[in-house]
Amino acid sequence: MAIESIVILTGAGVSAESGIRTFRATDGLWEDHKIEDVATPEAFDRNPRLVHSFYNERRKQLLSAEVRPNPAHHALAKLEKEFPGKVLLITQNIDNLHERAGSNNLIHMHGELLNLRCRESGVIYRVEEETQPEDLCQCCGSSGNLRPDIVWFGELPMSMERIYTELEQCDLFISIGTSGNVYPAAGFVEIANDTGALTVELNLEPSKVKSAFHQGFYGPASEVVTEFVADILKQV
Ligand code: BJW
């Protein structure tokens, strides 16, 4: 069967070789922070200063000279450019490494580190500098309304309607560098399977939902993703 539409899901593993820590490794990002202290709306209400400072640190790291797209990000951008059919990239990552590598057809389903959102109006502001709870929002003039534009636990991920439509139409679903712990993303493979798509996992090690995939290739993303993309492009 000819492949016409590819949907790719990426997770923290695709950015690990760019120097961004994953979440659930033993040296993971939340080793220093309890997840419920930073990644829930209740945590933000309870201690906005802690949450702002957690994201300030990560923003500073993302904007540092050491953090750059790696060969896996570049391979996925090349796939979008050179594949004759449709390629949609859905990332759970809040970094901007896919777009810096050149991917354009991209959904950030868990939000973006460089965006703040007004809790009153929903207006999005681009931000590169440090933020504090006292910052005044330009649209409502109040302090305390600006929050990281990140999807926390218990909140609805972004663009879900479009994501489900695309999953129901794809011929190939590729999941890269995600542990399969967090839903709804961990369930996308089942939707793609129901659609009749070929489903493939690329990861350092088998994920929690490995058995749902038709195929799995294991190793660092910079190697397995580059090889897998080269194989697809060889066949077109
Ligand atoms: C490499 C590598 C290398 C390393 N090369 N690979 C049961 C069913 C459905 C839902 C739920 C459920 N029980 C509870 C829920 C709700 C909850 C949930 O899933 N909880 C679980 C803990 C059980 N989900 C939610 O609340 C979500 N919302 C929701 O469900 O709304 C309801 C709804 C949805 C849809 C339709 C209708 C209603 C929201 C989830 C928000 C997740 N947010 C976070 C934090 C963002 C803030 C921040 O970044 O600070 O997003 S959690 C965190 O996990 C982050 C990530 O995007 C996400 C996924 O993590 P990821 O990417 O998989 O990272 P790791 O660290 O887990 O794994 C890294 C992988 O890389 C590993 O496999 C390594 O092997 C690999 N790797 N180096 C290749 N070099």
Side-chain angles (χ1 to χ4, degrees), residues 11-13 17 22-24 30 55 58 92 94 110 150-151 153-156 177-179 181-183 203-205 221:
E17 290 163 83
T22 62
F23 295 94
R24 292 171 185 84
W30 283 330
Y55 288 101
R58 292 170 67 191
Q92 297 170 84
I94 61 174
H110 289 165
I150 308 286
V151 178
F153 283 107
E155 297 185 315
L156 187 64
T178 177
S179 62
N181 279 288
V182 175
Y183 285 83
N203 206 339
L204 191 58
E205 53 197 28

PDB file of all heavy atoms in Angstrom, residues 11-13 17 22-24 30 55 58 92 94 110 150-151 153-156 177-179 181-183 203-205 221, ligand 1:
ATOM      1  N   GLY A  11       8.070  12.946  21.729  1.00  0.00           N
ATOM      2  CA  GLY A  11       8.105  13.224  23.163  1.00  0.00           C
ATOM      3  C   GLY A  11       9.510  13.660  23.557  1.00  0.00           C
ATOM      4  O   GLY A  11      10.379  13.885  22.693  1.00  0.00           O
ATOM      5  N   ALA A  12       9.732  13.718  24.856  1.00  0.00           N
ATOM      6  CA  ALA A  12      10.971  14.292  25.384  1.00  0.00           C
ATOM      7  C   ALA A  12      12.235  13.620  24.836  1.00  0.00           C
ATOM      8  O   ALA A  12      13.282  14.265  24.725  1.00  0.00           O
ATOM      9  CB  ALA A  12      10.945  14.193  26.900  1.00  0.00           C
ATOM     10  N   GLY A  13      12.139  12.329  24.472  1.00  0.00           N
ATOM     11  CA  GLY A  13      13.316  11.612  23.987  1.00  0.00           C
ATOM     12  C   GLY A  13      13.918  12.213  22.729  1.00  0.00           C
ATOM     13  O   GLY A  13      15.124  12.086  22.497  1.00  0.00           O
ATOM     14  N   GLU A  17      19.012  14.419  23.234  1.00  0.00           N
ATOM     15  CA  GLU A  17      20.392  14.612  22.752  1.00  0.00           C
ATOM     16  C   GLU A  17      20.705  16.082  22.439  1.00  0.00           C
ATOM     17  O   GLU A  17      21.834  16.413  22.076  1.00  0.00           O
ATOM     18  CB  GLU A  17      20.640  13.724  21.527  1.00  0.00           C
ATOM     19  CG  GLU A  17      20.698  12.257  21.907  1.00  0.00           C
ATOM     20  CD  GLU A  17      20.534  11.347  20.707  1.00  0.00           C
ATOM     21  OE1 GLU A  17      21.523  11.101  20.023  1.00  0.00           O
ATOM     22  OE2 GLU A  17      19.383  10.903  20.453  1.00  0.00           O
ATOM     23  N   THR A  22      14.661  14.605  30.017  1.00  0.00           N
ATOM     24  CA  THR A  22      13.333  14.000  29.884  1.00  0.00           C
ATOM     25  C   THR A  22      12.646  14.083  31.255  1.00  0.00           C
ATOM     26  O   THR A  22      13.223  14.588  32.212  1.00  0.00           O
ATOM     27  CB  THR A  22      13.433  12.534  29.410  1.00  0.00           C
ATOM     28  OG1 THR A  22      14.143  11.797  30.390  1.00  0.00           O
ATOM     29  CG2 THR A  22      14.131  12.431  28.053  1.00  0.00           C
ATOM     30  N   PHE A  23      11.422  13.571  31.329  1.00  0.00           N
ATOM     31  CA  PHE A  23      10.664  13.702  32.577  1.00  0.00           C
ATOM     32  C   PHE A  23      10.884  12.545  33.525  1.00  0.00           C
ATOM     33  O   PHE A  23      11.030  12.723  34.717  1.00  0.00           O
ATOM     34  CB  PHE A  23       9.166  13.797  32.272  1.00  0.00           C
ATOM     35  CG  PHE A  23       8.834  15.049  31.518  1.00  0.00           C
ATOM     36  CD1 PHE A  23       8.775  15.061  30.138  1.00  0.00           C
ATOM     37  CD2 PHE A  23       8.630  16.235  32.197  1.00  0.00           C
ATOM     38  CE1 PHE A  23       8.502  16.221  29.452  1.00  0.00           C
ATOM     39  CE2 PHE A  23       8.363  17.402  31.525  1.00  0.00           C
ATOM     40  CZ  PHE A  23       8.298  17.393  30.145  1.00  0.00           C
ATOM     41  N   ARG A  24      10.868  11.319  32.978  1.00  0.00           N
ATOM     42  CA  ARG A  24      10.746  10.152  33.854  1.00  0.00           C
ATOM     43  C   ARG A  24      12.015   9.330  34.000  1.00  0.00           C
ATOM     44  O   ARG A  24      11.987   8.281  34.623  1.00  0.00           O
ATOM     45  CB  ARG A  24       9.563   9.287  33.391  1.00  0.00           C
ATOM     46  CG  ARG A  24       8.261  10.018  33.625  1.00  0.00           C
ATOM     47  CD  ARG A  24       7.027   9.417  33.043  1.00  0.00           C
ATOM     48  NE  ARG A  24       5.923  10.346  33.292  1.00  0.00           N
ATOM     49  CZ  ARG A  24       5.626  11.392  32.535  1.00  0.00           C
ATOM     50  NH1 ARG A  24       6.335  11.642  31.443  1.00  0.00           N
ATOM     51  NH2 ARG A  24       4.638  12.207  32.854  1.00  0.00           N
ATOM     52  N   TRP A  30      11.849  16.062  36.699  1.00  0.00           N
ATOM     53  CA  TRP A  30      11.066  16.186  37.912  1.00  0.00           C
ATOM     54  C   TRP A  30      11.727  15.525  39.118  1.00  0.00           C
ATOM     55  O   TRP A  30      11.103  15.359  40.161  1.00  0.00           O
ATOM     56  CB  TRP A  30       9.646  15.667  37.685  1.00  0.00           C
ATOM     57  CG  TRP A  30       8.836  16.653  36.923  1.00  0.00           C
ATOM     58  CD1 TRP A  30       8.985  18.024  36.936  1.00  0.00           C
ATOM     59  CD2 TRP A  30       7.771  16.401  36.025  1.00  0.00           C
ATOM     60  NE1 TRP A  30       8.075  18.613  36.105  1.00  0.00           N
ATOM     61  CE2 TRP A  30       7.315  17.646  35.527  1.00  0.00           C
ATOM     62  CE3 TRP A  30       7.142  15.250  35.589  1.00  0.00           C
ATOM     63  CZ2 TRP A  30       6.263  17.764  34.623  1.00  0.00           C
ATOM     64  CZ3 TRP A  30       6.103  15.358  34.691  1.00  0.00           C
ATOM     65  CH2 TRP A  30       5.673  16.607  34.214  1.00  0.00           C
ATOM     66  N   TYR A  55       9.548  27.400  35.207  1.00  0.00           N
ATOM     67  CA  TYR A  55       9.530  27.623  33.752  1.00  0.00           C
ATOM     68  C   TYR A  55      10.567  28.666  33.328  1.00  0.00           C
ATOM     69  O   TYR A  55      11.096  28.593  32.217  1.00  0.00           O
ATOM     70  CB  TYR A  55       8.102  27.963  33.278  1.00  0.00           C
ATOM     71  CG  TYR A  55       7.229  26.731  33.338  1.00  0.00           C
ATOM     72  CD1 TYR A  55       6.336  26.525  34.388  1.00  0.00           C
ATOM     73  CD2 TYR A  55       7.358  25.726  32.391  1.00  0.00           C
ATOM     74  CE1 TYR A  55       5.578  25.372  34.480  1.00  0.00           C
ATOM     75  CE2 TYR A  55       6.603  24.558  32.469  1.00  0.00           C
ATOM     76  CZ  TYR A  55       5.717  24.389  33.520  1.00  0.00           C
ATOM     77  OH  TYR A  55       4.985  23.226  33.593  1.00  0.00           O
ATOM     78  N   ARG A  58      13.734  26.737  32.738  1.00  0.00           N
ATOM     79  CA  ARG A  58      13.696  25.926  31.508  1.00  0.00           C
ATOM     80  C   ARG A  58      13.758  26.808  30.260  1.00  0.00           C
ATOM     81  O   ARG A  58      14.350  26.446  29.254  1.00  0.00           O
ATOM     82  CB  ARG A  58      12.436  25.052  31.514  1.00  0.00           C
ATOM     83  CG  ARG A  58      12.546  24.003  32.621  1.00  0.00           C
ATOM     84  CD  ARG A  58      11.268  23.280  32.824  1.00  0.00           C
ATOM     85  NE  ARG A  58      10.920  22.443  31.690  1.00  0.00           N
ATOM     86  CZ  ARG A  58       9.738  21.861  31.535  1.00  0.00           C
ATOM     87  NH1 ARG A  58       8.809  22.030  32.444  1.00  0.00           N
ATOM     88  NH2 ARG A  58       9.498  21.117  30.483  1.00  0.00           N
ATOM     89  N   GLN A  92       4.643  16.586  21.955  1.00  0.00           N
ATOM     90  CA  GLN A  92       4.255  16.841  23.351  1.00  0.00           C
ATOM     91  C   GLN A  92       5.253  17.826  23.970  1.00  0.00           C
ATOM     92  O   GLN A  92       5.044  18.291  25.082  1.00  0.00           O
ATOM     93  CB  GLN A  92       4.291  15.535  24.151  1.00  0.00           C
ATOM     94  CG  GLN A  92       3.302  14.491  23.667  1.00  0.00           C
ATOM     95  CD  GLN A  92       3.578  13.149  24.352  1.00  0.00           C
ATOM     96  OE1 GLN A  92       3.130  12.897  25.452  1.00  0.00           O
ATOM     97  NE2 GLN A  92       4.317  12.278  23.690  1.00  0.00           N
ATOM     98  N   ILE A  94       7.487  21.108  24.798  1.00  0.00           N
ATOM     99  CA  ILE A  94       7.185  22.540  24.848  1.00  0.00           C
ATOM    100  C   ILE A  94       8.381  23.368  24.364  1.00  0.00           C
ATOM    101  O   ILE A  94       8.311  24.583  24.317  1.00  0.00           O
ATOM    102  CB  ILE A  94       6.734  22.962  26.267  1.00  0.00           C
ATOM    103  CG1 ILE A  94       7.827  22.704  27.315  1.00  0.00           C
ATOM    104  CG2 ILE A  94       5.453  22.210  26.656  1.00  0.00           C
ATOM    105  CD1 ILE A  94       7.456  23.241  28.714  1.00  0.00           C
ATOM    106  N   HIS A 110       0.968  20.069  24.005  1.00  0.00           N
ATOM    107  CA  HIS A 110       1.098  20.419  25.431  1.00  0.00           C
ATOM    108  C   HIS A 110       1.566  21.864  25.633  1.00  0.00           C
ATOM    109  O   HIS A 110       2.032  22.207  26.714  1.00  0.00           O
ATOM    110  CB  HIS A 110       2.055  19.448  26.138  1.00  0.00           C
ATOM    111  CG  HIS A 110       1.486  18.066  26.307  1.00  0.00           C
ATOM    112  ND1 HIS A 110       2.236  16.960  26.635  1.00  0.00           N
ATOM    113  CD2 HIS A 110       0.204  17.607  26.207  1.00  0.00           C
ATOM    114  CE1 HIS A 110       1.461  15.884  26.720  1.00  0.00           C
ATOM    115  NE2 HIS A 110       0.216  16.257  26.456  1.00  0.00           N
ATOM    116  N   ILE A 150       1.050  26.275  28.965  1.00  0.00           N
ATOM    117  CA  ILE A 150       1.438  24.863  29.024  1.00  0.00           C
ATOM    118  C   ILE A 150       0.212  24.073  29.457  1.00  0.00           C
ATOM    119  O   ILE A 150      -0.565  24.541  30.286  1.00  0.00           O
ATOM    120  CB  ILE A 150       2.525  24.656  30.123  1.00  0.00           C
ATOM    121  CG1 ILE A 150       3.709  25.613  29.957  1.00  0.00           C
ATOM    122  CG2 ILE A 150       2.970  23.201  30.191  1.00  0.00           C
ATOM    123  CD1 ILE A 150       4.630  25.294  28.858  1.00  0.00           C
ATOM    124  N   VAL A 151       0.066  22.856  28.903  1.00  0.00           N
ATOM    125  CA  VAL A 151      -1.055  21.999  29.318  1.00  0.00           C
ATOM    126  C   VAL A 151      -0.612  21.194  30.541  1.00  0.00           C
ATOM    127  O   VAL A 151       0.273  20.342  30.451  1.00  0.00           O
ATOM    128  CB  VAL A 151      -1.478  21.056  28.169  1.00  0.00           C
ATOM    129  CG1 VAL A 151      -2.613  20.150  28.625  1.00  0.00           C
ATOM    130  CG2 VAL A 151      -1.886  21.866  26.939  1.00  0.00           C
ATOM    131  N   PHE A 153      -1.539  18.756  34.059  1.00  0.00           N
ATOM    132  CA  PHE A 153      -2.407  17.599  34.319  1.00  0.00           C
ATOM    133  C   PHE A 153      -3.825  18.064  34.643  1.00  0.00           C
ATOM    134  O   PHE A 153      -4.014  19.043  35.372  1.00  0.00           O
ATOM    135  CB  PHE A 153      -1.832  16.739  35.443  1.00  0.00           C
ATOM    136  CG  PHE A 153      -0.693  15.899  34.960  1.00  0.00           C
ATOM    137  CD1 PHE A 153       0.611  16.191  35.312  1.00  0.00           C
ATOM    138  CD2 PHE A 153      -0.918  14.831  34.089  1.00  0.00           C
ATOM    139  CE1 PHE A 153       1.667  15.418  34.834  1.00  0.00           C
ATOM    140  CE2 PHE A 153       0.127  14.063  33.603  1.00  0.00           C
ATOM    141  CZ  PHE A 153       1.422  14.357  33.981  1.00  0.00           C
ATOM    142  N   GLY A 154      -4.781  17.370  34.034  1.00  0.00           N
ATOM    143  CA  GLY A 154      -6.185  17.705  34.250  1.00  0.00           C
ATOM    144  C   GLY A 154      -6.712  18.708  33.239  1.00  0.00           C
ATOM    145  O   GLY A 154      -7.911  18.980  33.204  1.00  0.00           O
ATOM    146  N   GLU A 155      -5.825  19.262  32.393  1.00  0.00           N
ATOM    147  CA  GLU A 155      -6.270  20.231  31.387  1.00  0.00           C
ATOM    148  C   GLU A 155      -6.341  19.552  30.013  1.00  0.00           C
ATOM    149  O   GLU A 155      -5.635  18.563  29.755  1.00  0.00           O
ATOM    150  CB  GLU A 155      -5.295  21.422  31.339  1.00  0.00           C
ATOM    151  CG  GLU A 155      -5.265  22.181  32.655  1.00  0.00           C
ATOM    152  CD  GLU A 155      -4.419  23.439  32.613  1.00  0.00           C
ATOM    153  OE1 GLU A 155      -3.294  23.387  32.068  1.00  0.00           O
ATOM    154  OE2 GLU A 155      -4.876  24.469  33.114  1.00  0.00           O
ATOM    155  N   LEU A 156      -7.150  20.120  29.142  1.00  0.00           N
ATOM    156  CA  LEU A 156      -7.351  19.525  27.820  1.00  0.00           C
ATOM    157  C   LEU A 156      -6.189  19.898  26.897  1.00  0.00           C
ATOM    158  O   LEU A 156      -5.905  21.082  26.707  1.00  0.00           O
ATOM    159  CB  LEU A 156      -8.675  20.059  27.240  1.00  0.00           C
ATOM    160  CG  LEU A 156      -9.133  19.432  25.935  1.00  0.00           C
ATOM    161  CD1 LEU A 156      -9.433  17.951  26.123  1.00  0.00           C
ATOM    162  CD2 LEU A 156     -10.358  20.161  25.412  1.00  0.00           C
ATOM    163  N   GLY A 177      10.375   8.708  20.954  1.00  0.00           N
ATOM    164  CA  GLY A 177      10.909   9.237  22.213  1.00  0.00           C
ATOM    165  C   GLY A 177       9.873   9.627  23.236  1.00  0.00           C
ATOM    166  O   GLY A 177      10.035  10.634  23.915  1.00  0.00           O
ATOM    167  N   THR A 178       8.834   8.809  23.364  1.00  0.00           N
ATOM    168  CA  THR A 178       7.838   9.083  24.411  1.00  0.00           C
ATOM    169  C   THR A 178       7.566   7.798  25.188  1.00  0.00           C
ATOM    170  O   THR A 178       7.492   6.715  24.592  1.00  0.00           O
ATOM    171  CB  THR A 178       6.565   9.740  23.835  1.00  0.00           C
ATOM    172  OG1 THR A 178       5.613   9.911  24.890  1.00  0.00           O
ATOM    173  CG2 THR A 178       5.947   8.944  22.704  1.00  0.00           C
ATOM    174  N   SER A 179       7.418   7.919  26.505  1.00  0.00           N
ATOM    175  CA  SER A 179       7.384   6.733  27.362  1.00  0.00           C
ATOM    176  C   SER A 179       6.035   6.029  27.392  1.00  0.00           C
ATOM    177  O   SER A 179       5.917   4.937  27.932  1.00  0.00           O
ATOM    178  CB  SER A 179       7.776   7.128  28.789  1.00  0.00           C
ATOM    179  OG  SER A 179       6.837   8.052  29.302  1.00  0.00           O
ATOM    180  N   ASN A 181       3.395   7.043  29.068  1.00  0.00           N
ATOM    181  CA  ASN A 181       2.773   7.174  30.398  1.00  0.00           C
ATOM    182  C   ASN A 181       1.616   8.162  30.408  1.00  0.00           C
ATOM    183  O   ASN A 181       0.763   8.094  31.296  1.00  0.00           O
ATOM    184  CB  ASN A 181       3.819   7.663  31.420  1.00  0.00           C
ATOM    185  CG  ASN A 181       4.679   6.537  31.921  1.00  0.00           C
ATOM    186  OD1 ASN A 181       4.217   5.692  32.679  1.00  0.00           O
ATOM    187  ND2 ASN A 181       5.925   6.493  31.477  1.00  0.00           N
ATOM    188  N   VAL A 182       1.643   9.133  29.504  1.00  0.00           N
ATOM    189  CA  VAL A 182       0.705  10.249  29.604  1.00  0.00           C
ATOM    190  C   VAL A 182      -0.340  10.204  28.480  1.00  0.00           C
ATOM    191  O   VAL A 182       0.009  10.117  27.300  1.00  0.00           O
ATOM    192  CB  VAL A 182       1.470  11.603  29.593  1.00  0.00           C
ATOM    193  CG1 VAL A 182       0.510  12.775  29.585  1.00  0.00           C
ATOM    194  CG2 VAL A 182       2.379  11.687  30.821  1.00  0.00           C
ATOM    195  N   TYR A 183      -1.595  10.279  28.896  1.00  0.00           N
ATOM    196  CA  TYR A 183      -2.737  10.256  27.971  1.00  0.00           C
ATOM    197  C   TYR A 183      -3.239  11.677  27.757  1.00  0.00           C
ATOM    198  O   TYR A 183      -3.014  12.527  28.606  1.00  0.00           O
ATOM    199  CB  TYR A 183      -3.843   9.363  28.550  1.00  0.00           C
ATOM    200  CG  TYR A 183      -3.484   7.908  28.400  1.00  0.00           C
ATOM    201  CD1 TYR A 183      -2.646   7.303  29.331  1.00  0.00           C
ATOM    202  CD2 TYR A 183      -3.920   7.172  27.303  1.00  0.00           C
ATOM    203  CE1 TYR A 183      -2.274   5.964  29.172  1.00  0.00           C
ATOM    204  CE2 TYR A 183      -3.557   5.837  27.152  1.00  0.00           C
ATOM    205  CZ  TYR A 183      -2.738   5.242  28.088  1.00  0.00           C
ATOM    206  OH  TYR A 183      -2.366   3.932  27.925  1.00  0.00           O
ATOM    207  N   ASN A 203      12.421   4.534  19.721  1.00  0.00           N
ATOM    208  CA  ASN A 203      12.679   4.989  21.088  1.00  0.00           C
ATOM    209  C   ASN A 203      14.022   4.425  21.545  1.00  0.00           C
ATOM    210  O   ASN A 203      14.571   3.510  20.924  1.00  0.00           O
ATOM    211  CB  ASN A 203      11.553   4.507  22.019  1.00  0.00           C
ATOM    212  CG  ASN A 203      11.381   5.394  23.246  1.00  0.00           C
ATOM    213  OD1 ASN A 203      12.284   6.130  23.633  1.00  0.00           O
ATOM    214  ND2 ASN A 203      10.223   5.320  23.872  1.00  0.00           N
ATOM    215  N   LEU A 204      14.516   4.985  22.626  1.00  0.00           N
ATOM    216  CA  LEU A 204      15.757   4.452  23.193  1.00  0.00           C
ATOM    217  C   LEU A 204      15.506   3.043  23.726  1.00  0.00           C
ATOM    218  O   LEU A 204      16.317   2.152  23.586  1.00  0.00           O
ATOM    219  CB  LEU A 204      16.221   5.381  24.319  1.00  0.00           C
ATOM    220  CG  LEU A 204      17.617   5.165  24.864  1.00  0.00           C
ATOM    221  CD1 LEU A 204      18.666   5.296  23.769  1.00  0.00           C
ATOM    222  CD2 LEU A 204      17.907   6.173  25.973  1.00  0.00           C
ATOM    223  N   GLU A 205      14.340   2.885  24.355  1.00  0.00           N
ATOM    224  CA  GLU A 205      13.950   1.569  24.887  1.00  0.00           C
ATOM    225  C   GLU A 205      12.443   1.416  24.703  1.00  0.00           C
ATOM    226  O   GLU A 205      11.746   2.423  24.525  1.00  0.00           O
ATOM    227  CB  GLU A 205      14.332   1.448  26.357  1.00  0.00           C
ATOM    228  CG  GLU A 205      13.800   2.580  27.188  1.00  0.00           C
ATOM    229  CD  GLU A 205      14.500   2.691  28.553  1.00  0.00           C
ATOM    230  OE1 GLU A 205      15.664   2.293  28.657  1.00  0.00           O
ATOM    231  OE2 GLU A 205      13.837   3.174  29.477  1.00  0.00           O
ATOM    232  N   ALA A 221      17.585   8.611  19.297  1.00  0.00           N
ATOM    233  CA  ALA A 221      16.777   9.212  18.226  1.00  0.00           C
ATOM    234  C   ALA A 221      17.638   9.732  17.079  1.00  0.00           C
ATOM    235  O   ALA A 221      17.264   9.602  15.909  1.00  0.00           O
ATOM    236  CB  ALA A 221      15.923  10.342  18.812  1.00  0.00           C
TER     237      ALA A 221
HETATM  238  C1  BJW B   1      14.994   8.620  24.085  1.00  0.00           C
HETATM  239  C2  BJW B   1      16.237   9.178  24.232  1.00  0.00           C
HETATM  240  C3  BJW B   1      16.976   9.309  23.070  1.00  0.00           C
HETATM  241  C4  BJW B   1      15.402   9.120  26.150  1.00  0.00           C
HETATM  242  N1  BJW B   1      16.456   8.905  21.916  1.00  0.00           N
HETATM  243  N2  BJW B   1      14.493   8.229  22.925  1.00  0.00           N
HETATM  244  C5  BJW B   1      -6.043   7.384  31.916  1.00  0.00           C
HETATM  245  C6  BJW B   1      -6.458   7.580  30.610  1.00  0.00           C
HETATM  246  C7  BJW B   1      -6.501   8.852  30.056  1.00  0.00           C
HETATM  247  C8  BJW B   1      -6.079   9.952  30.770  1.00  0.00           C
HETATM  248  C9  BJW B   1      -5.649   9.752  32.065  1.00  0.00           C
HETATM  249  C10 BJW B   1      -5.661   8.501  32.633  1.00  0.00           C
HETATM  250  N3  BJW B   1      -5.244   8.622  33.912  1.00  0.00           N
HETATM  251  C11 BJW B   1      -4.961   9.926  34.138  1.00  0.00           C
HETATM  252  C12 BJW B   1      -5.190  10.632  33.024  1.00  0.00           C
HETATM  253  C13 BJW B   1      -4.987  12.061  32.841  1.00  0.00           C
HETATM  254  C14 BJW B   1      -3.568  12.528  32.644  1.00  0.00           C
HETATM  255  C15 BJW B   1      -2.553  11.402  32.529  1.00  0.00           C
HETATM  256  O1  BJW B   1      -2.243  10.913  31.464  1.00  0.00           O
HETATM  257  N4  BJW B   1      -1.963  11.015  33.640  1.00  0.00           N
HETATM  258  C16 BJW B   1      -0.968   9.922  33.631  1.00  0.00           C
HETATM  259  C17 BJW B   1       0.151  10.271  34.581  1.00  0.00           C
HETATM  260  C18 BJW B   1      -1.676   8.628  33.936  1.00  0.00           C
HETATM  261  N5  BJW B   1      -3.573  13.318  31.435  1.00  0.00           N
HETATM  262  C19 BJW B   1      -3.947  14.585  31.447  1.00  0.00           C
HETATM  263  O2  BJW B   1      -4.302  15.150  32.473  1.00  0.00           O
HETATM  264  C20 BJW B   1      -3.956  15.283  30.105  1.00  0.00           C
HETATM  265  N6  BJW B   1      -5.239  15.852  29.880  1.00  0.00           N
HETATM  266  C21 BJW B   1      -6.324  15.086  29.713  1.00  0.00           C
HETATM  267  O3  BJW B   1      -6.288  13.866  29.761  1.00  0.00           O
HETATM  268  O4  BJW B   1      -7.439  15.812  29.433  1.00  0.00           O
HETATM  269  C22 BJW B   1      -8.665  15.093  29.266  1.00  0.00           C
HETATM  270  C23 BJW B   1      -9.011  14.823  27.838  1.00  0.00           C
HETATM  271  C24 BJW B   1      -8.061  14.611  26.870  1.00  0.00           C
HETATM  272  C25 BJW B   1      -8.418  14.350  25.553  1.00  0.00           C
HETATM  273  C26 BJW B   1      -9.713  14.319  25.203  1.00  0.00           C
HETATM  274  C27 BJW B   1     -10.683  14.557  26.166  1.00  0.00           C
HETATM  275  C28 BJW B   1     -10.325  14.812  27.487  1.00  0.00           C
HETATM  276  C29 BJW B   1      -2.940  16.428  30.105  1.00  0.00           C
HETATM  277  C30 BJW B   1      -1.553  15.915  30.121  1.00  0.00           C
HETATM  278  C31 BJW B   1      -0.568  17.068  30.240  1.00  0.00           C
HETATM  279  C32 BJW B   1       0.858  16.559  30.302  1.00  0.00           C
HETATM  280  N7  BJW B   1       1.698  17.596  30.646  1.00  0.00           N
HETATM  281  C33 BJW B   1       3.116  17.329  30.806  1.00  0.00           C
HETATM  282  C34 BJW B   1       3.767  18.494  31.556  1.00  0.00           C
HETATM  283  C35 BJW B   1       3.840  19.717  30.729  1.00  0.00           C
HETATM  284  C36 BJW B   1       4.496  20.748  31.529  1.00  0.00           C
HETATM  285  C37 BJW B   1       5.971  20.702  31.490  1.00  0.00           C
HETATM  286  O5  BJW B   1       6.610  20.327  30.512  1.00  0.00           O
HETATM  287  O6  BJW B   1       6.470  21.112  32.509  1.00  0.00           O
HETATM  288  O7  BJW B   1       3.721  17.091  29.544  1.00  0.00           O
HETATM  289  S1  BJW B   1       3.472  15.829  31.698  1.00  0.00           S
HETATM  290  C38 BJW B   1       4.930  15.461  30.842  1.00  0.00           C
HETATM  291  O8  BJW B   1       4.752  14.147  30.295  1.00  0.00           O
HETATM  292  C39 BJW B   1       5.010  16.459  29.670  1.00  0.00           C
HETATM  293  C40 BJW B   1       5.287  15.519  28.519  1.00  0.00           C
HETATM  294  O9  BJW B   1       4.871  16.116  27.301  1.00  0.00           O
HETATM  295  C41 BJW B   1       4.533  14.267  28.881  1.00  0.00           C
HETATM  296  C42 BJW B   1       5.007  13.042  28.175  1.00  0.00           C
HETATM  297  O10 BJW B   1       6.298  12.713  28.578  1.00  0.00           O
HETATM  298  P1  BJW B   1       7.281  12.034  27.541  1.00  0.00           P
HETATM  299  O11 BJW B   1       7.548  12.952  26.428  1.00  0.00           O
HETATM  300  O12 BJW B   1       6.781  10.701  27.181  1.00  0.00           O
HETATM  301  O13 BJW B   1       8.638  11.965  28.417  1.00  0.00           O
HETATM  302  P2  BJW B   1       9.166  10.795  29.385  1.00  0.00           P
HETATM  303  O14 BJW B   1      10.255  11.366  30.205  1.00  0.00           O
HETATM  304  O15 BJW B   1       8.075  10.125  30.104  1.00  0.00           O
HETATM  305  O16 BJW B   1       9.787   9.719  28.382  1.00  0.00           O
HETATM  306  C43 BJW B   1      10.924   9.995  27.599  1.00  0.00           C
HETATM  307  C44 BJW B   1      11.128   8.856  26.620  1.00  0.00           C
HETATM  308  O17 BJW B   1      12.221   9.185  25.794  1.00  0.00           O
HETATM  309  C45 BJW B   1      11.459   7.510  27.295  1.00  0.00           C
HETATM  310  O18 BJW B   1      10.664   6.490  26.692  1.00  0.00           O
HETATM  311  C46 BJW B   1      12.930   7.292  26.959  1.00  0.00           C
HETATM  312  O19 BJW B   1      13.252   5.920  26.727  1.00  0.00           O
HETATM  313  C47 BJW B   1      13.071   8.061  25.669  1.00  0.00           C
HETATM  314  N8  BJW B   1      14.409   8.571  25.403  1.00  0.00           N
HETATM  315  N9  BJW B   1      16.411   9.471  25.609  1.00  0.00           N
HETATM  316  C48 BJW B   1      15.198   8.355  21.919  1.00  0.00           C
HETATM  317  N10 BJW B   1      18.219   9.829  23.111  1.00  0.00           N
END
